[in-house]
mmCIF file of all heavy atoms in Angstrom:
data_model
loop_
_atom_site.group_PDB
_atom_site.id
_atom_site.type_symbol
_atom_site.label_atom_id
_atom_site.label_comp_id
_atom_site.label_asym_id
_atom_site.label_seq_id
_atom_site.Cartn_x
_atom_site.Cartn_y
_atom_site.Cartn_z
ATOM 1 N N ARG A 120 11.084 -1.790 17.506
ATOM 2 C CA ARG A 120 11.611 -1.943 18.878
ATOM 3 C C ARG A 120 11.946 -0.632 19.527
ATOM 4 O O ARG A 120 11.637 -0.408 20.705
ATOM 5 C CB ARG A 120 12.858 -2.817 18.772
ATOM 6 C CG ARG A 120 13.345 -3.191 20.215
ATOM 7 C CD ARG A 120 14.439 -4.308 20.106
ATOM 8 N NE ARG A 120 14.904 -4.651 21.449
ATOM 9 C CZ ARG A 120 15.771 -5.615 21.697
ATOM 10 N NH1 ARG A 120 16.297 -6.344 20.721
ATOM 11 N NH2 ARG A 120 16.086 -5.839 22.947
ATOM 12 N N ALA A 121 12.472 0.353 18.790
ATOM 13 C CA ALA A 121 12.803 1.589 19.365
ATOM 14 C C ALA A 121 11.548 2.353 19.757
ATOM 15 O O ALA A 121 11.561 3.063 20.806
ATOM 16 C CB ALA A 121 13.621 2.443 18.375
ATOM 17 N N THR A 122 10.504 2.226 18.979
ATOM 18 C CA THR A 122 9.272 2.893 19.282
ATOM 19 C C THR A 122 8.615 2.314 20.554
ATOM 20 O O THR A 122 8.146 3.121 21.428
ATOM 21 C CB THR A 122 8.272 2.834 18.125
ATOM 22 O OG1 THR A 122 8.917 3.309 16.917
ATOM 23 C CG2 THR A 122 6.989 3.616 18.425
ATOM 24 N N TYR A 123 8.632 1.054 20.661
ATOM 25 C CA TYR A 123 8.150 0.391 21.836
ATOM 26 C C TYR A 123 8.920 0.772 23.129
ATOM 27 O O TYR A 123 8.354 1.012 24.173
ATOM 28 C CB TYR A 123 8.091 -1.111 21.776
ATOM 29 C CG TYR A 123 6.856 -1.717 21.025
ATOM 30 C CD1 TYR A 123 7.013 -2.523 19.930
ATOM 31 C CD2 TYR A 123 5.564 -1.390 21.488
ATOM 32 C CE1 TYR A 123 5.914 -3.043 19.296
ATOM 33 C CE2 TYR A 123 4.465 -1.868 20.827
ATOM 34 C CZ TYR A 123 4.633 -2.750 19.681
ATOM 35 O OH TYR A 123 3.604 -3.227 19.038
ATOM 36 N N ASP A 124 10.207 0.868 22.948
ATOM 37 C CA ASP A 124 11.043 1.260 24.053
ATOM 38 C C ASP A 124 10.773 2.704 24.480
ATOM 39 O O ASP A 124 10.644 3.033 25.707
ATOM 40 C CB ASP A 124 12.509 1.130 23.729
ATOM 41 C CG ASP A 124 13.016 -0.289 23.586
ATOM 42 O OD1 ASP A 124 12.322 -1.203 24.170
ATOM 43 O OD2 ASP A 124 14.051 -0.505 23.087
ATOM 44 N N ALA A 125 10.518 3.561 23.553
ATOM 45 C CA ALA A 125 10.183 4.995 23.852
ATOM 46 C C ALA A 125 8.784 5.106 24.521
ATOM 47 O O ALA A 125 8.555 5.790 25.418
ATOM 48 C CB ALA A 125 10.264 5.840 22.571
ATOM 49 N N LEU A 126 7.900 4.270 23.975
ATOM 50 C CA LEU A 126 6.492 4.232 24.575
ATOM 51 C C LEU A 126 6.550 3.710 26.002
ATOM 52 O O LEU A 126 5.830 4.238 26.927
ATOM 53 C CB LEU A 126 5.622 3.344 23.691
ATOM 54 C CG LEU A 126 4.204 3.281 24.132
ATOM 55 C CD1 LEU A 126 3.419 4.614 23.917
ATOM 56 C CD2 LEU A 126 3.408 2.172 23.334
ATOM 57 N N SER A 127 7.368 2.721 26.238
ATOM 58 C CA SER A 127 7.485 2.185 27.589
ATOM 59 C C SER A 127 8.062 3.271 28.541
ATOM 60 O O SER A 127 7.545 3.376 29.679
ATOM 61 C CB SER A 127 8.366 0.960 27.554
ATOM 62 O OG SER A 127 8.576 0.423 28.839
ATOM 63 N N ALA A 128 9.066 3.951 28.074
ATOM 64 C CA ALA A 128 9.675 4.984 28.942
ATOM 65 C C ALA A 128 8.681 6.062 29.186
ATOM 66 O O ALA A 128 8.619 6.625 30.302
ATOM 67 C CB ALA A 128 10.905 5.553 28.237
ATOM 68 N N GLU A 129 7.853 6.471 28.223
ATOM 69 C CA GLU A 129 6.944 7.570 28.439
ATOM 70 C C GLU A 129 5.774 7.224 29.316
ATOM 71 O O GLU A 129 5.352 7.998 30.149
ATOM 72 C CB GLU A 129 6.426 8.028 27.089
ATOM 73 C CG GLU A 129 5.426 9.184 27.143
ATOM 74 C CD GLU A 129 5.044 9.745 25.857
ATOM 75 O OE1 GLU A 129 5.865 10.343 25.123
ATOM 76 O OE2 GLU A 129 3.854 9.469 25.427
ATOM 77 N N THR A 130 5.238 6.009 29.182
ATOM 78 C CA THR A 130 4.050 5.561 29.957
ATOM 79 C C THR A 130 4.420 4.904 31.252
ATOM 80 O O THR A 130 3.582 4.729 32.074
ATOM 81 C CB THR A 130 3.261 4.547 29.113
ATOM 82 O OG1 THR A 130 4.063 3.369 28.845
ATOM 83 C CG2 THR A 130 2.822 5.124 27.767
ATOM 84 N N GLY A 131 5.667 4.464 31.435
ATOM 85 C CA GLY A 131 6.041 3.749 32.659
ATOM 86 C C GLY A 131 5.586 2.328 32.654
ATOM 87 O O GLY A 131 5.610 1.681 33.689
ATOM 88 N N THR A 132 5.128 1.825 31.500
ATOM 89 C CA THR A 132 4.637 0.437 31.374
ATOM 90 C C THR A 132 5.689 -0.406 30.748
ATOM 91 O O THR A 132 6.175 -0.168 29.687
ATOM 92 C CB THR A 132 3.433 0.422 30.506
ATOM 93 O OG1 THR A 132 2.380 1.220 31.077
ATOM 94 C CG2 THR A 132 2.888 -1.058 30.368
ATOM 95 N N PRO A 133 6.174 -1.475 31.490
ATOM 96 C CA PRO A 133 7.163 -2.377 30.839
ATOM 97 C C PRO A 133 6.636 -3.007 29.612
ATOM 98 O O PRO A 133 5.546 -3.571 29.590
ATOM 99 C CB PRO A 133 7.371 -3.418 32.011
ATOM 100 C CG PRO A 133 6.883 -2.735 33.241
ATOM 101 C CD PRO A 133 5.763 -1.901 32.886
ATOM 102 N N ILE A 134 7.433 -3.032 28.526
ATOM 103 C CA ILE A 134 7.157 -3.620 27.290
ATOM 104 C C ILE A 134 8.444 -4.412 26.906
ATOM 105 O O ILE A 134 9.482 -3.800 26.818
ATOM 106 C CB ILE A 134 6.733 -2.624 26.170
ATOM 107 C CG1 ILE A 134 5.539 -1.835 26.554
ATOM 108 C CG2 ILE A 134 6.581 -3.363 24.850
ATOM 109 C CD1 ILE A 134 5.206 -0.759 25.660
ATOM 110 N N ASP A 135 8.252 -5.690 26.596
ATOM 111 C CA ASP A 135 9.396 -6.485 26.128
ATOM 112 C C ASP A 135 9.448 -6.211 24.588
ATOM 113 O O ASP A 135 8.851 -7.030 23.753
ATOM 114 C CB ASP A 135 9.197 -7.980 26.468
ATOM 115 C CG ASP A 135 10.357 -8.834 26.104
ATOM 116 O OD1 ASP A 135 11.224 -8.367 25.319
ATOM 117 O OD2 ASP A 135 10.452 -9.946 26.621
ATOM 118 N N SER A 136 10.201 -5.285 24.174
ATOM 119 C CA SER A 136 10.210 -4.948 22.721
ATOM 120 C C SER A 136 10.891 -6.006 21.941
ATOM 121 O O SER A 136 10.488 -6.176 20.705
ATOM 122 C CB SER A 136 10.878 -3.607 22.543
ATOM 123 O OG SER A 136 12.248 -3.680 23.026
ATOM 124 N N ALA A 137 11.843 -6.684 22.491
ATOM 125 C CA ALA A 137 12.468 -7.830 21.717
ATOM 126 C C ALA A 137 11.465 -8.917 21.431
ATOM 127 O O ALA A 137 11.531 -9.517 20.355
ATOM 128 C CB ALA A 137 13.663 -8.367 22.544
ATOM 129 N N LEU A 138 10.535 -9.178 22.347
ATOM 130 C CA LEU A 138 9.528 -10.142 22.075
ATOM 131 C C LEU A 138 8.489 -9.645 21.102
ATOM 132 O O LEU A 138 8.083 -10.343 20.231
ATOM 133 C CB LEU A 138 8.812 -10.530 23.502
ATOM 134 C CG LEU A 138 7.610 -11.459 23.371
ATOM 135 C CD1 LEU A 138 8.012 -12.783 22.773
ATOM 136 C CD2 LEU A 138 7.020 -11.639 24.806
ATOM 137 N N ALA A 139 8.100 -8.355 21.291
ATOM 138 C CA ALA A 139 7.098 -7.797 20.439
ATOM 139 C C ALA A 139 7.460 -7.886 18.961
ATOM 140 O O ALA A 139 6.602 -8.188 18.118
ATOM 141 C CB ALA A 139 6.780 -6.349 20.794
ATOM 142 N N VAL A 140 8.715 -7.612 18.621
ATOM 143 C CA VAL A 140 9.065 -7.685 17.250
ATOM 144 C C VAL A 140 9.191 -9.083 16.637
ATOM 145 O O VAL A 140 9.331 -9.149 15.391
ATOM 146 C CB VAL A 140 10.429 -6.864 16.984
ATOM 147 C CG1 VAL A 140 10.241 -5.461 17.351
ATOM 148 C CG2 VAL A 140 11.623 -7.536 17.624
ATOM 149 N N THR A 141 9.030 -10.123 17.413
ATOM 150 C CA THR A 141 8.925 -11.461 16.861
ATOM 151 C C THR A 141 7.523 -11.807 16.504
ATOM 152 O O THR A 141 7.314 -12.807 15.924
ATOM 153 C CB THR A 141 9.428 -12.508 17.898
ATOM 154 O OG1 THR A 141 8.504 -12.584 18.997
ATOM 155 C CG2 THR A 141 10.816 -12.121 18.411
#
Side-chain angles (χ1 to χ4, degrees):
R120 185 170 182 177
T122 306
Y123 276 126
D124 289 342
L126 182 68
S127 177
E129 180 175 289
T130 62
T132 300
I134 299 173
D135 186 342
S136 60
L138 174 60
V140 297
T141 69

